[in-house]
Amino acid sequence: MEYQNPQPSQGLQQRAAPVPVPGPGRTVISETAVAKVAGIAARSVPGVYSLGSVPSRALGAIRDAVGSSDHAAGVRAEVGETQVAVDISLVASYGTPLHSLANQVRAAVYRAVEELVGLQVIEVNVEITDVYIPPPVKPAVSGPADVSGSAGREALL
C-alpha cells in the first residue's frame, strides 16, 4: 500500500511503514489488573456507595487518609487463559433498588473487562453487604436563639 503525500515531493515516493505482525510470545494479565478494572467499573455505577466489607472499608479509609487508594478493594478476580470470573462485594446507598443495582454493576463490569482486558467474562457475582444511610442533617442555629454562645457574649461587650 502506497502513501500519497499531499505536499509536493521531489520525485521521491514515500511508503507507509508496514504494521509489524506480532511475534511469538504470550500475554499474562494478572488478577490484580482485572480486579482494578472491575472495581473502577463497579464504582462508576450510581448507587454504589463503596466496595468491600466493613473491615476492608476501614482499611480503605486509612489508605485514603494517607493519599493512596486500592481500586481492587472488594473485588476478587479469577483469571484463566481466555476467561475471567469476578466477585464483587459492595455497599449500596440507601434508596437504591438493590436487584437493579446488582444488575447495573454486573453489566458495567462485563463491559469494562471485555473491552479493556480482552477476556471473556463468564460470571460476575455481586454481594451487597450493607446499605449506607447518611447521617441526619443538623439544622443550622441562627438568629437570637444563640445569644448564650461566644458570639452573643462578644456582642454584649
Side-chain angles (χ1 to χ4, degrees):
M1 180 176 178
E2 290 187 5
Y3 169 73
Q4 297 292 326
N5 188 351
Q7 297 179 354
S9 65
Q10 300 167 353
L12 299 175
Q13 283 188 339
Q14 296 180 357
R15 294 184 181 246
V19 177
V21 177
R26 96 185 170 132
T27 302
V28 177
I29 300 173
S30 74
E31 292 177 348
T32 303
V34 174
K36 282 185 180 183
V37 169
I40 292 168
R43 280 183 182 85
S44 72
V45 176
V48 172
Y49 177 73
S50 66
L51 295 184
S53 59
V54 174
S56 69
R57 288 196 330 260
L59 180 61
I62 294 168
R63 196 177 293 119
D64 290 343
V66 295
S68 176
S69 63
D70 182 11
H71 295 290
V75 182
R76 195 172 121 273
E78 295 178 32
V79 179
E81 291 290 321
T82 60
Q83 297 178 325
V84 63
V86 179
D87 296 325
I88 297 180
S89 174
L90 64 86
V91 176
S93 296
Y94 179 76
T96 304
L98 301 183
H99 280 286
S100 174
L101 177 64
N103 289 335
Q104 290 174 23
V105 167
R106 193 172 288 113
V109 170
Y110 266 92
R111 190 171 39 258
V113 171
E114 288 185 349
E115 287 178 9
L116 298 176
V117 179
L119 297 174
Q120 178 189 14
V121 180
I122 56 172
E123 68 179 358
V124 175
N125 299 309
V126 178
E127 178 185 10
I128 301 174
T129 60
D130 201 357
V131 174
Y132 172 74
I133 302 169
V137 178
K138 295 182 181 179
V141 178
S142 63
D146 191 24
V147 176
S148 64
S150 62
R153 271 186 253 139
E154 289 174 4
L156 295 174
L157 295 175

